[in-house]
């Protein structure tokens, strides 16, 4: 499999997730080109080998049992092309870096995304966002590898999307073209700093976590619902509900996949018992047996 990229064997996936939870994978491959990614996926499917594409590892809770398959990383697919107000970014580009390049060209729309720790592919797939903005607002088209192995361009008008959702699931995003607005980069940098300072105060960014655990139910704040039940600080082994923000679960040591799932399910149960609201998990929960 070396022809597809850089191959590592028996890799501990804890190091590749912001939550610090994960098991050993038989292979991890960093693909080195879009063509290599497409060829590798075909090879794995033809040979019935399980695989999972891992972006920046910032929005996943990974199974920590042994994975007898291939983890694919796309971080080396990081091309950015700017053409007036259109910016095309490969799936492995980090959002913070994308925003920096856009600002250098006087394009300010993605200021909110500079604080999201994900990569373009996975982030657009889940319509990531914050500060009342989401990525799909600025998407013009998406280039994907379909489940059938075809490479096609999908325009925004063909994509259903909403809060932390797009209809792109089932495809692999290869690149995204954004249509951005011009503005004052210096004013935008000030706004980013203000937002970042607020985040440092209100969110536990110094501890291993996966961002918001639950989507906000319509009309409610998931964090407030959990906080009002007195669950801040509640823990199962090393998996803790953050004292700073109740919609964050922290790994304060060696929390396991099961610890995380058990704590998530406990919170969901308590919220449903008290409010009759079913919380929906925001990060992807990945079980190897379901791939």
């Amino acid at each position: 499999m070396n022809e597809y990229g850089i191959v590592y064997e028996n890799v501990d996936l804890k190091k590749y997730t912001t939550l610090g939870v994960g098991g050993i994978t038989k292979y991890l491959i960093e693909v080195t080109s879009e063509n290599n990614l497409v060829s590798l996926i075909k090879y794995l499917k033809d040979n019935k080998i399980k695989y999972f594409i891992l972006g920046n590892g910032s929005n996943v809770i990974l199974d920590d049992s042994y994975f007898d398959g291939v983890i694919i990383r796309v971080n080396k697919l990081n091309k950015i092309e700017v053409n007036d107000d259109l910016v095309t970014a490969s799936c492995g580009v980090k959002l913070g870096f994308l925003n920096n390049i856009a600002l250098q060209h006087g394009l300010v729309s993605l200021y909110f995304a500079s604080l999201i720790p994900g990569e373009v592919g996975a982030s657009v797939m889940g319509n990531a966002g914050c500060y009342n903005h989401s990525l799909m607002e600025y998407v013009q088209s998406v280039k994907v590898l379909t489940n059938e192995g075809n490479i096609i361009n999908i325009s925004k008008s063909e994509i259903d999307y909403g809060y932390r959702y797009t209809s792109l699931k089932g495809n692999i995003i290869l690149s995204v073209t954004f249509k951005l607005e011009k503005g004052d980069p210096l004013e935008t940098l000030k706004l980013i700093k203000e937002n970042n300072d607020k985040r440092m105060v209100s969110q536990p960014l110094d501890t291993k976590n996966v961002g918001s655990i639950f989507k906000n139910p319509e009309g409610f704040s998931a964090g407030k619902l959990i906080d009002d039940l007195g669950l801040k600080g509640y823990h199962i082994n090393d998996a803790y509900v953050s004292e700073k923000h109740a919609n964050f679960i922290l790994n304060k040591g060696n929390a396991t996949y099961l610890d995380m799932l058990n704590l998530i399910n406990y919170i969901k149960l308590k919220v449903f018992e008290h409010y009759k609201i079913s919380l929906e998990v925001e990060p992807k929960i990945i079980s190897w047996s379901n791939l």
Side-chain angles (χ1 to χ4, degrees), residues 3-284:
E3 66 265 33
Y4 303 114
I6 305 164
V7 180
Y8 304 91
E9 293 186 47
N10 298 315
V11 175
D12 187 350
L13 294 172
K14 283 190 189 75
K15 302 168 189 169
Y16 290 89
T17 68
T18 58
L19 186 59
V21 172
I24 304 293
T25 179
K26 186 174 184 179
Y27 295 108
L28 183 145
I29 300 179
E30 290 184 339
V31 290
T32 47
S33 74
E34 191 178 283
N35 288 340
N36 283 352
L37 173 59
V38 172
S39 301
L40 175 59
I41 297 291
K42 184 177 187 312
Y43 170 84
L44 296 174
K45 284 186 171 181
D46 288 348
N47 289 278
K48 296 184 169 52
I49 298 170
K50 282 191 173 187
Y51 67 90
F52 179 69
I53 298 175
L54 181 65
N56 201 39
S58 56
N59 198 41
V60 288
I61 301 172
L62 286 186
D63 193 333
D64 56 10
S65 61
Y66 180 74
F67 182 44
D68 186 20
V70 177
I71 296 291
I72 302 170
R73 295 202 73 221
V74 295
N75 53 303
K76 294 196 181 302
L77 307 187
N78 51 18
K79 286 184 185 167
I80 299 175
E81 290 178 14
V82 182
N83 185 4
D84 194 28
D85 61 349
L86 297 179
V87 180
T88 300
S90 299
C91 55
V93 173
K94 289 189 177 176
L95 292 177
F97 182 68
L98 175 61
N99 177 62
N100 288 344
I101 297 298
L103 286 178
Q104 287 171 24
H105 289 81
L107 301 168
V108 299
S109 306
L110 294 178
Y111 78 91
F112 68 94
S114 67
L115 305 175
I116 299 172
E119 294 175 351
V120 164
S123 300
V124 169
M125 180 74 73
N127 195 20
C130 56
Y131 301 113
N132 298 314
H133 289 287
S134 62
L135 290 173
M136 279 304 301
E137 283 178 61
Y138 302 103
V139 167
Q140 185 182 64
S141 63
V142 181
K143 182 181 175 186
V144 304
L145 174 66
T146 67
N147 205 27
E148 297 74 40
N150 302 313
I151 296 174
I152 61 171
N153 282 295
I154 305 176
S155 67
K156 181 176 180 172
S157 60
E158 298 173 87
I159 302 168
D160 286 331
Y161 62 92
Y163 175 59
R164 305 296 176 265
Y165 159 80
T166 71
S167 57
L168 294 164
K169 195 175 176 183
N171 301 294
I172 294 169
I173 292 178
L174 300 174
S175 65
V176 179
T177 297
F178 298 91
K179 187 174 175 61
L180 307 179
E181 295 157 5
K182 292 191 183 294
D184 183 344
L186 290 178
E187 286 301 314
T188 304
L189 285 169
K190 277 187 204 167
L191 180 60
I192 290 170
K193 185 180 185 306
E194 284 170 19
N195 287 338
N196 206 25
D197 290 346
K198 284 178 198 165
R199 265 195 159 177
M200 293 299 287
V201 171
S202 64
Q203 297 179 5
L205 302 180
D206 56 344
T207 310
K208 289 183 283 190
N209 71 80
V210 73
S212 297
I213 283 288
F214 299 106
K215 299 178 182 179
N216 288 321
E218 197 167 340
F220 295 93
S221 156
K224 187 171 189 317
L225 294 176
I226 299 163
D227 191 1
D228 288 349
L229 290 175
L231 291 176
K232 276 186 175 176
Y234 184 85
H235 68 104
I236 294 176
N237 298 321
D238 281 344
Y240 280 75
V241 178
S242 169
E243 296 272 8
K244 200 180 245 191
H245 193 308
N247 199 21
F248 282 68
I249 291 180
L250 311 178
N251 176 3
K252 286 198 175 182
N254 293 300
T256 65
Y257 177 67
L258 203 55
D259 293 336
M260 288 291 164
L261 296 198
N262 286 340
L263 184 51
I264 285 168
N265 289 331
Y266 179 80
I267 295 166
K268 286 176 74 172
L269 177 66
K270 290 299 171 186
V271 168
F272 187 77
E273 281 178 354
H274 197 81
Y275 301 108
K276 296 295 180 280
I277 292 173
S278 296
L279 289 179
E280 192 179 341
V281 177
E282 185 166 319
K284 283 185 184 172

